[in-house]
Amino acid sequence: MSSGHRTDARNSFIIELLKNFMRGSVLSTKERSYIIGLFLGDGYANYRPQDRHYRVEFCLNSNKDTIILSFVKSLLKKAGYNCFEVKDKRYNVIYLRINSKSLFQYLTKEKFKFKAGKIVKNKDQILGLLSGLIDSEGYVGHGEILLTQKDNSIAKLMWSLSDSLKLTRKVKKEPNPKGKPIWRVRVSTKFKEFAHISQKVNREYK
């Protein structure tokens, strides 16, 4: 097989993998939305044009987020993506990295839509998104679910999702001398009664 044919075959495979991920033929709507929520909360995407290198990265606490790490890896593996871990012992941080053009394109496109005010009505999508946001930017404990975010559009999404589930929530905007104001969204712990997939909520209430 010529190099041109191999390239065409690889591109076709990437396109089909991306379509499958988006359509939910590999992951359920809730699982796919969880990955999006996790990315919106504390994900990172980078493209290096000099070597055409695409990377998606999730940042997790290496001590507290081990169950989240395992869960995310299982979802990505199910969707056909290879990932690897990079530990930063200075800050107890572990980076879960995926070198993938298709995942990069999918997640950055979804992030753009949500930052532009995309409205969500599907309940499984709402539960998946909020579960992912909680696991990335949330604190669960002492009778509360608290989400923290500097991005105003993502903070609005947090309380919009809560409102869609008719959950009681409180929003507080706090000044931040180092940059953008910090938004804190407290969500009712009744969230635990829904068919969510938040690993932090499961850890605290199961």
PDB file of all heavy atoms in Angstrom, residues 180-202:
ATOM      1  N   LYS A 180      -9.556  37.363  37.017  1.00  0.00           N
ATOM      2  CA  LYS A 180     -11.007  37.378  36.868  1.00  0.00           C
ATOM      3  C   LYS A 180     -11.693  37.029  38.182  1.00  0.00           C
ATOM      4  O   LYS A 180     -11.154  36.275  38.986  1.00  0.00           O
ATOM      5  CB  LYS A 180     -11.429  36.367  35.800  1.00  0.00           C
ATOM      6  CG  LYS A 180     -10.964  36.702  34.392  1.00  0.00           C
ATOM      7  CD  LYS A 180     -11.462  35.648  33.418  1.00  0.00           C
ATOM      8  CE  LYS A 180     -11.021  35.947  31.997  1.00  0.00           C
ATOM      9  NZ  LYS A 180     -11.492  34.892  31.054  1.00  0.00           N
ATOM     10  N   PRO A 181     -12.901  37.562  38.414  1.00  0.00           N
ATOM     11  CA  PRO A 181     -13.668  37.201  39.614  1.00  0.00           C
ATOM     12  C   PRO A 181     -13.914  35.694  39.665  1.00  0.00           C
ATOM     13  O   PRO A 181     -13.937  35.019  38.635  1.00  0.00           O
ATOM     14  CB  PRO A 181     -14.985  37.958  39.435  1.00  0.00           C
ATOM     15  CG  PRO A 181     -14.671  39.049  38.473  1.00  0.00           C
ATOM     16  CD  PRO A 181     -13.618  38.525  37.561  1.00  0.00           C
ATOM     17  N   ILE A 182     -14.092  35.177  40.858  1.00  0.00           N
ATOM     18  CA  ILE A 182     -14.349  33.753  41.052  1.00  0.00           C
ATOM     19  C   ILE A 182     -15.830  33.542  41.319  1.00  0.00           C
ATOM     20  O   ILE A 182     -16.416  34.213  42.172  1.00  0.00           O
ATOM     21  CB  ILE A 182     -13.513  33.200  42.226  1.00  0.00           C
ATOM     22  CG1 ILE A 182     -12.018  33.325  41.911  1.00  0.00           C
ATOM     23  CG2 ILE A 182     -13.883  31.744  42.509  1.00  0.00           C
ATOM     24  CD1 ILE A 182     -11.113  32.971  43.064  1.00  0.00           C
ATOM     25  N   TRP A 183     -16.440  32.629  40.576  1.00  0.00           N
ATOM     26  CA  TRP A 183     -17.842  32.284  40.771  1.00  0.00           C
ATOM     27  C   TRP A 183     -17.938  30.999  41.573  1.00  0.00           C
ATOM     28  O   TRP A 183     -17.254  30.018  41.288  1.00  0.00           O
ATOM     29  CB  TRP A 183     -18.531  32.087  39.423  1.00  0.00           C
ATOM     30  CG  TRP A 183     -18.632  33.331  38.608  1.00  0.00           C
ATOM     31  CD1 TRP A 183     -17.691  33.818  37.741  1.00  0.00           C
ATOM     32  CD2 TRP A 183     -19.728  34.257  38.579  1.00  0.00           C
ATOM     33  NE1 TRP A 183     -18.129  34.989  37.167  1.00  0.00           N
ATOM     34  CE2 TRP A 183     -19.385  35.282  37.659  1.00  0.00           C
ATOM     35  CE3 TRP A 183     -20.964  34.313  39.224  1.00  0.00           C
ATOM     36  CZ2 TRP A 183     -20.219  36.344  37.378  1.00  0.00           C
ATOM     37  CZ3 TRP A 183     -21.807  35.380  38.942  1.00  0.00           C
ATOM     38  CH2 TRP A 183     -21.437  36.384  38.041  1.00  0.00           C
ATOM     39  N   ARG A 184     -18.779  31.027  42.599  1.00  0.00           N
ATOM     40  CA  ARG A 184     -19.015  29.824  43.406  1.00  0.00           C
ATOM     41  C   ARG A 184     -20.502  29.477  43.314  1.00  0.00           C
ATOM     42  O   ARG A 184     -21.359  30.295  43.641  1.00  0.00           O
ATOM     43  CB  ARG A 184     -18.596  30.039  44.852  1.00  0.00           C
ATOM     44  CG  ARG A 184     -17.114  30.426  44.986  1.00  0.00           C
ATOM     45  CD  ARG A 184     -16.608  30.279  46.406  1.00  0.00           C
ATOM     46  NE  ARG A 184     -15.284  30.846  46.554  1.00  0.00           N
ATOM     47  CZ  ARG A 184     -14.137  30.241  46.203  1.00  0.00           C
ATOM     48  NH1 ARG A 184     -14.194  29.030  45.671  1.00  0.00           N
ATOM     49  NH2 ARG A 184     -12.972  30.836  46.374  1.00  0.00           N
ATOM     50  N   VAL A 185     -20.760  28.269  42.849  1.00  0.00           N
ATOM     51  CA  VAL A 185     -22.133  27.804  42.665  1.00  0.00           C
ATOM     52  C   VAL A 185     -22.382  26.626  43.609  1.00  0.00           C
ATOM     53  O   VAL A 185     -21.785  25.568  43.452  1.00  0.00           O
ATOM     54  CB  VAL A 185     -22.398  27.367  41.211  1.00  0.00           C
ATOM     55  CG1 VAL A 185     -23.858  26.969  41.025  1.00  0.00           C
ATOM     56  CG2 VAL A 185     -22.015  28.483  40.232  1.00  0.00           C
ATOM     57  N   ARG A 186     -23.255  26.843  44.591  1.00  0.00           N
ATOM     58  CA  ARG A 186     -23.625  25.774  45.524  1.00  0.00           C
ATOM     59  C   ARG A 186     -24.910  25.115  45.031  1.00  0.00           C
ATOM     60  O   ARG A 186     -25.911  25.780  44.824  1.00  0.00           O
ATOM     61  CB  ARG A 186     -23.817  26.327  46.939  1.00  0.00           C
ATOM     62  CG  ARG A 186     -22.516  26.598  47.647  1.00  0.00           C
ATOM     63  CD  ARG A 186     -22.719  27.134  49.064  1.00  0.00           C
ATOM     64  NE  ARG A 186     -21.475  27.106  49.812  1.00  0.00           N
ATOM     65  CZ  ARG A 186     -20.515  28.026  49.696  1.00  0.00           C
ATOM     66  NH1 ARG A 186     -20.686  29.046  48.862  1.00  0.00           N
ATOM     67  NH2 ARG A 186     -19.401  27.924  50.395  1.00  0.00           N
ATOM     68  N   VAL A 187     -24.837  23.803  44.854  1.00  0.00           N
ATOM     69  CA  VAL A 187     -25.958  23.042  44.306  1.00  0.00           C
ATOM     70  C   VAL A 187     -26.505  22.111  45.383  1.00  0.00           C
ATOM     71  O   VAL A 187     -25.743  21.521  46.163  1.00  0.00           O
ATOM     72  CB  VAL A 187     -25.502  22.212  43.082  1.00  0.00           C
ATOM     73  CG1 VAL A 187     -26.652  21.390  42.525  1.00  0.00           C
ATOM     74  CG2 VAL A 187     -24.924  23.123  42.010  1.00  0.00           C
ATOM     75  N   SER A 188     -27.813  21.977  45.431  1.00  0.00           N
ATOM     76  CA  SER A 188     -28.448  21.097  46.414  1.00  0.00           C
ATOM     77  C   SER A 188     -27.912  19.669  46.317  1.00  0.00           C
ATOM     78  O   SER A 188     -27.713  19.138  45.221  1.00  0.00           O
ATOM     79  CB  SER A 188     -29.964  21.088  46.199  1.00  0.00           C
ATOM     80  OG  SER A 188     -30.568  20.070  46.975  1.00  0.00           O
ATOM     81  N   THR A 189     -27.689  19.049  47.463  1.00  0.00           N
ATOM     82  CA  THR A 189     -27.208  17.665  47.489  1.00  0.00           C
ATOM     83  C   THR A 189     -28.278  16.675  47.023  1.00  0.00           C
ATOM     84  O   THR A 189     -28.003  15.481  46.908  1.00  0.00           O
ATOM     85  CB  THR A 189     -26.743  17.268  48.906  1.00  0.00           C
ATOM     86  OG1 THR A 189     -27.813  17.489  49.832  1.00  0.00           O
ATOM     87  CG2 THR A 189     -25.532  18.085  49.329  1.00  0.00           C
ATOM     88  N   LYS A 190     -29.465  17.169  46.718  1.00  0.00           N
ATOM     89  CA  LYS A 190     -30.484  16.298  46.133  1.00  0.00           C
ATOM     90  C   LYS A 190     -30.059  15.786  44.759  1.00  0.00           C
ATOM     91  O   LYS A 190     -30.674  14.867  44.218  1.00  0.00           O
ATOM     92  CB  LYS A 190     -31.821  17.047  46.022  1.00  0.00           C
ATOM     93  CG  LYS A 190     -32.524  17.239  47.363  1.00  0.00           C
ATOM     94  CD  LYS A 190     -33.919  17.815  47.180  1.00  0.00           C
ATOM     95  CE  LYS A 190     -34.643  17.939  48.521  1.00  0.00           C
ATOM     96  NZ  LYS A 190     -36.014  18.475  48.362  1.00  0.00           N
ATOM     97  N   PHE A 191     -29.002  16.379  44.240  1.00  0.00           N
ATOM     98  CA  PHE A 191     -28.435  15.890  42.982  1.00  0.00           C
ATOM     99  C   PHE A 191     -28.089  14.414  43.085  1.00  0.00           C
ATOM    100  O   PHE A 191     -28.169  13.673  42.105  1.00  0.00           O
ATOM    101  CB  PHE A 191     -27.189  16.711  42.620  1.00  0.00           C
ATOM    102  CG  PHE A 191     -26.500  16.253  41.358  1.00  0.00           C
ATOM    103  CD1 PHE A 191     -27.075  16.489  40.115  1.00  0.00           C
ATOM    104  CD2 PHE A 191     -25.288  15.589  41.418  1.00  0.00           C
ATOM    105  CE1 PHE A 191     -26.438  16.066  38.950  1.00  0.00           C
ATOM    106  CE2 PHE A 191     -24.649  15.158  40.262  1.00  0.00           C
ATOM    107  CZ  PHE A 191     -25.220  15.404  39.020  1.00  0.00           C
ATOM    108  N   LYS A 192     -27.713  13.984  44.306  1.00  0.00           N
ATOM    109  CA  LYS A 192     -27.326  12.582  44.500  1.00  0.00           C
ATOM    110  C   LYS A 192     -28.471  11.617  44.221  1.00  0.00           C
ATOM    111  O   LYS A 192     -28.239  10.423  43.989  1.00  0.00           O
ATOM    112  CB  LYS A 192     -26.816  12.371  45.935  1.00  0.00           C
ATOM    113  CG  LYS A 192     -27.858  12.516  47.032  1.00  0.00           C
ATOM    114  CD  LYS A 192     -27.245  12.272  48.405  1.00  0.00           C
ATOM    115  CE  LYS A 192     -28.289  12.307  49.524  1.00  0.00           C
ATOM    116  NZ  LYS A 192     -28.813  13.678  49.732  1.00  0.00           N
ATOM    117  N   GLU A 193     -29.691  12.109  44.234  1.00  0.00           N
ATOM    118  CA  GLU A 193     -30.855  11.250  44.015  1.00  0.00           C
ATOM    119  C   GLU A 193     -31.130  11.009  42.527  1.00  0.00           C
ATOM    120  O   GLU A 193     -31.951  10.154  42.173  1.00  0.00           O
ATOM    121  CB  GLU A 193     -32.086  11.878  44.673  1.00  0.00           C
ATOM    122  CG  GLU A 193     -31.942  12.040  46.189  1.00  0.00           C
ATOM    123  CD  GLU A 193     -33.076  12.835  46.807  1.00  0.00           C
ATOM    124  OE1 GLU A 193     -34.034  13.174  46.069  1.00  0.00           O
ATOM    125  OE2 GLU A 193     -33.008  13.138  48.020  1.00  0.00           O
ATOM    126  N   PHE A 194     -30.447  11.765  41.666  1.00  0.00           N
ATOM    127  CA  PHE A 194     -30.614  11.586  40.228  1.00  0.00           C
ATOM    128  C   PHE A 194     -29.680  10.481  39.719  1.00  0.00           C
ATOM    129  O   PHE A 194     -28.748  10.074  40.409  1.00  0.00           O
ATOM    130  CB  PHE A 194     -30.309  12.890  39.492  1.00  0.00           C
ATOM    131  CG  PHE A 194     -31.350  13.962  39.661  1.00  0.00           C
ATOM    132  CD1 PHE A 194     -31.320  14.820  40.752  1.00  0.00           C
ATOM    133  CD2 PHE A 194     -32.367  14.108  38.723  1.00  0.00           C
ATOM    134  CE1 PHE A 194     -32.279  15.813  40.911  1.00  0.00           C
ATOM    135  CE2 PHE A 194     -33.336  15.094  38.859  1.00  0.00           C
ATOM    136  CZ  PHE A 194     -33.291  15.942  39.954  1.00  0.00           C
ATOM    137  N   ALA A 195     -29.927  10.046  38.502  1.00  0.00           N
ATOM    138  CA  ALA A 195     -29.094   9.001  37.882  1.00  0.00           C
ATOM    139  C   ALA A 195     -27.841   9.634  37.276  1.00  0.00           C
ATOM    140  O   ALA A 195     -27.593   9.563  36.068  1.00  0.00           O
ATOM    141  CB  ALA A 195     -29.894   8.264  36.822  1.00  0.00           C
ATOM    142  N   HIS A 196     -27.033  10.251  38.128  1.00  0.00           N
ATOM    143  CA  HIS A 196     -25.817  10.936  37.701  1.00  0.00           C
ATOM    144  C   HIS A 196     -24.670   9.935  37.578  1.00  0.00           C
ATOM    145  O   HIS A 196     -24.821   8.757  37.928  1.00  0.00           O
ATOM    146  CB  HIS A 196     -25.454  12.021  38.725  1.00  0.00           C
ATOM    147  CG  HIS A 196     -25.067  11.446  40.053  1.00  0.00           C
ATOM    148  ND1 HIS A 196     -23.796  10.995  40.328  1.00  0.00           N
ATOM    149  CD2 HIS A 196     -25.803  11.207  41.180  1.00  0.00           C
ATOM    150  CE1 HIS A 196     -23.752  10.529  41.559  1.00  0.00           C
ATOM    151  NE2 HIS A 196     -24.952  10.641  42.093  1.00  0.00           N
ATOM    152  N   ILE A 197     -23.517  10.418  37.130  1.00  0.00           N
ATOM    153  CA  ILE A 197     -22.324   9.569  37.090  1.00  0.00           C
ATOM    154  C   ILE A 197     -21.123  10.299  37.697  1.00  0.00           C
ATOM    155  O   ILE A 197     -19.972  10.020  37.368  1.00  0.00           O
ATOM    156  CB  ILE A 197     -22.004   9.097  35.654  1.00  0.00           C
ATOM    157  CG1 ILE A 197     -21.956  10.257  34.663  1.00  0.00           C
ATOM    158  CG2 ILE A 197     -22.994   8.037  35.195  1.00  0.00           C
ATOM    159  CD1 ILE A 197     -21.515   9.843  33.256  1.00  0.00           C
ATOM    160  N   SER A 198     -21.387  11.246  38.601  1.00  0.00           N
ATOM    161  CA  SER A 198     -20.304  11.950  39.286  1.00  0.00           C
ATOM    162  C   SER A 198     -19.602  11.008  40.263  1.00  0.00           C
ATOM    163  O   SER A 198     -20.229  10.464  41.172  1.00  0.00           O
ATOM    164  CB  SER A 198     -20.846  13.166  40.045  1.00  0.00           C
ATOM    165  OG  SER A 198     -19.870  13.665  40.951  1.00  0.00           O
ATOM    166  N   GLN A 199     -18.314  10.853  40.077  1.00  0.00           N
ATOM    167  CA  GLN A 199     -17.537   9.974  40.951  1.00  0.00           C
ATOM    168  C   GLN A 199     -17.340  10.594  42.334  1.00  0.00           C
ATOM    169  O   GLN A 199     -17.274   9.891  43.342  1.00  0.00           O
ATOM    170  CB  GLN A 199     -16.186   9.665  40.305  1.00  0.00           C
ATOM    171  CG  GLN A 199     -16.293   9.047  38.915  1.00  0.00           C
ATOM    172  CD  GLN A 199     -17.145   7.793  38.900  1.00  0.00           C
ATOM    173  OE1 GLN A 199     -16.789   6.779  39.474  1.00  0.00           O
ATOM    174  NE2 GLN A 199     -18.288   7.847  38.238  1.00  0.00           N
ATOM    175  N   LYS A 200     -17.277  11.910  42.398  1.00  0.00           N
ATOM    176  CA  LYS A 200     -17.141  12.589  43.694  1.00  0.00           C
ATOM    177  C   LYS A 200     -18.404  12.438  44.531  1.00  0.00           C
ATOM    178  O   LYS A 200     -18.333  12.204  45.748  1.00  0.00           O
ATOM    179  CB  LYS A 200     -16.830  14.077  43.499  1.00  0.00           C
ATOM    180  CG  LYS A 200     -15.414  14.371  43.061  1.00  0.00           C
ATOM    181  CD  LYS A 200     -15.158  15.868  42.997  1.00  0.00           C
ATOM    182  CE  LYS A 200     -13.724  16.173  42.564  1.00  0.00           C
ATOM    183  NZ  LYS A 200     -13.464  17.624  42.465  1.00  0.00           N
ATOM    184  N   VAL A 201     -19.565  12.576  43.893  1.00  0.00           N
ATOM    185  CA  VAL A 201     -20.823  12.435  44.608  1.00  0.00           C
ATOM    186  C   VAL A 201     -21.010  10.988  45.059  1.00  0.00           C
ATOM    187  O   VAL A 201     -21.424  10.729  46.191  1.00  0.00           O
ATOM    188  CB  VAL A 201     -22.017  12.889  43.729  1.00  0.00           C
ATOM    189  CG1 VAL A 201     -23.334  12.600  44.413  1.00  0.00           C
ATOM    190  CG2 VAL A 201     -21.896  14.377  43.428  1.00  0.00           C
ATOM    191  N   ASN A 202     -20.657  10.045  44.195  1.00  0.00           N
ATOM    192  CA  ASN A 202     -20.748   8.632  44.578  1.00  0.00           C
ATOM    193  C   ASN A 202     -19.830   8.316  45.749  1.00  0.00           C
ATOM    194  O   ASN A 202     -20.194   7.565  46.661  1.00  0.00           O
ATOM    195  CB  ASN A 202     -20.382   7.733  43.386  1.00  0.00           C
ATOM    196  CG  ASN A 202     -21.515   7.626  42.382  1.00  0.00           C
ATOM    197  OD1 ASN A 202     -22.669   7.864  42.697  1.00  0.00           O
ATOM    198  ND2 ASN A 202     -21.169   7.257  41.154  1.00  0.00           N
TER     199      ASN A 202
END
